[in-house]
Amino acid sequence: MACHTVLPLLFLLFLLAMAATADDVAPGPTTPPPELNLTNILENGGQYTTLLRLLNATRITEQITSQLKNSYDGLTFFAPNDNAFTKLKAGTLNALTDQEQIQLLLYHVLPRYYSLTTFQTASNPLHTEASGPGGMYSVNVSTSTTSPLVNVSTGVVDVPISSTLFARFPFAVYSVDDVLQPPQMFGSSHKAFAPAPGQAAAAAGRQKGVPKSDVAAEPSEAVEEPEGSSTNAAAAGRGIAVWLTTVIVLGGMALFLNLLVSA
Ligand SMILES: *[C@@H]1O[C@H](CO)[C@@H](O)[C@H](O)[C@H]1NC(C)=O
Ligand SMILES: *[C@@H]1O[C@H](CO)[C@@H](O)[C@H](O)[C@H]1NC(C)=O
Ligand SMILES: *[C@@H]1O[C@H](CO)[C@@H](O)[C@H](O)[C@H]1NC(C)=O
Ligand SMILES: *[C@@H]1O[C@H](CO)[C@@H](O)[C@H](O)[C@H]1NC(C)=O
């Protein structure tokens, strides 16, 4: 007699387990992911008019938006403020071709999400989205355990991340007080924008190191939990499913024991 009561209960538990699993795979339609909008982030930050104009003119904003939708690893964007652009030699931006402007902007994009903490375990050099058949365009990051600064160096400039404008997987936007100048465009070989001789020599010296292509993810980076609200909602959903299952199991056990005793 007890057996007849337990079987339907087991079936119910099975259904609940299936529901919990389905919840893991697809979060419900009630939690649309927030639209990540680089324009918005930069406008809120103030001080990024030149960058916004460049991003718009080159249509890189659209490219970043669509990449964010299709990327497993996320993106990191270094945003030079208006002050950074005023440090460039006069006429520098206008002297760049459209293609070079795109290349310069893509040099500010890393094809994965880095929080300030995951920069500590990143292995240099990190290639940027400007890398391609034309060569490896990479930056180095350096961190210190004693100071909160993360420095980004290109071989031409070395600049600390001055503030975090946005950092939630899959997108990080950090403000920098210098335009990240790739040595390929601003190093000694590029006469139009050659930096001071000392700087150029240093850049050329550093460039001799062959960039390693193993910028693969550190295992520890994968551990970093995305903090999106949809994830929280999914987790909450799972929590409810687990709670329900527990209640049913305990109830079923009580009923079963009761039947055993009365039998
Ligand atoms: C991003 O934000 C800007 C300014 O708030 C707005 O004009 C633009 O339409 C937004 N883009 C998308 C793709 O939502
Ligand atoms: C963005 O660029 C388009 C042309 O590509 C232009 O019509 C528009 O005014 C620009 N918007 C801003 C905010 O600069
Ligand atoms: C970053 O650069 C500043 C000077 O620009 C320097 O004082 C600091 O020690 C550097 N930090 C690291 C982690 O390299
Ligand atoms: C970047 O780091 C790599 C590996 O440590 C090194 O070989 C290279 O010279 C560095 N480049 C710059 C520009 O600092």
Side-chain angles (χ1 to χ4, degrees):
M1 142 152 197
C3 193
H4 292 292
T5 322
V6 171
L7 275 180
L9 261 178
L10 281 179
F11 183 64
L12 192 60
L13 281 179
F14 172 73
L15 282 184
L16 275 171
M18 291 304 284
T21 314
D23 222 25
D24 272 345
V25 175
T30 48
T31 62
E35 182 81 27
L36 293 167
N37 186 326
L38 178 59
T39 307
N40 242 334
I41 294 168
L42 293 176
E43 278 176 357
N44 290 341
Q47 304 300 313
Y48 300 93
T49 36
T50 310
L51 180 60
L52 280 164
R53 187 166 49 75
L54 262 180
L55 283 167
N56 182 51
T58 53
R59 310 187 68 82
I60 294 291
T61 314
E62 281 100 318
Q63 187 174 327
I64 287 178
T65 305
S66 85
Q67 275 186 26
L68 279 172
K69 283 184 190 142
N70 302 312
S71 156
Y72 283 111
D73 293 328
L75 292 179
T76 298
F77 183 72
F78 296 112
N81 56 23
D82 288 336
N83 186 44
F85 281 100
T86 65
K87 289 187 195 168
L88 291 178
K89 227 162 43 167
T92 299
L93 283 185
N94 290 338
L96 296 176
T97 65
D98 289 352
Q99 194 50 46
E100 284 171 328
Q101 290 191 352
I102 290 173
Q103 191 77 351
L104 179 61
L105 284 175
L106 290 179
Y107 190 62
H108 291 71
V109 185
L110 303 178
R112 67 178 299 122
Y113 170 81
Y114 288 97
S115 69
L116 287 177
T117 334
T118 46
F119 272 130
Q120 287 170 0
T121 52
S123 55
N124 287 323
L126 309 179
H127 44 190
T128 70
E129 297 217 334
S131 299
M136 190 69 87
Y137 283 67
S138 52
V139 297
N140 281 0
V141 291
S142 57
T143 57
S144 131
T145 47
T146 54
S147 88
L149 283 186
V150 176
N151 287 1
V152 188
S153 69
T154 71
V156 180
V157 293
D158 186 359
V159 61
I161 286 176
S162 51
S163 68
T164 301
L165 298 177
F166 187 87
R168 192 189 305 142
F169 187 86
F171 198 28
V173 183
Y174 300 111
S175 184
V176 285
D177 210 20
D178 265 310
V179 175
L180 300 184
Q181 298 160 56
Q184 291 93 333
M185 289 170 69
F186 294 85
S188 52
S189 60
H190 203 296
K191 291 171 196 71
F193 318 111
Q199 233 180 334
R206 276 194 291 265
Q207 253 180 281
K208 284 196 190 103
V210 180
K212 280 179 251 143
S213 54
D214 61 334
V215 196
E218 306 281 325
S220 58
E221 289 172 27
V223 174
E224 177 116 320
E225 271 288 322
E227 311 164 333
S229 56
S230 61
T231 318
N232 291 342
R238 273 198 300 280
I240 290 171
V242 167
W243 180 81
L244 265 179
T245 311
T246 311
V247 168
I248 300 282
V249 168
L250 288 178
M253 277 166 71
L255 185 64
F256 181 57
L257 286 176
N258 203 19
L259 287 170
L260 276 187
V261 169
S262 59

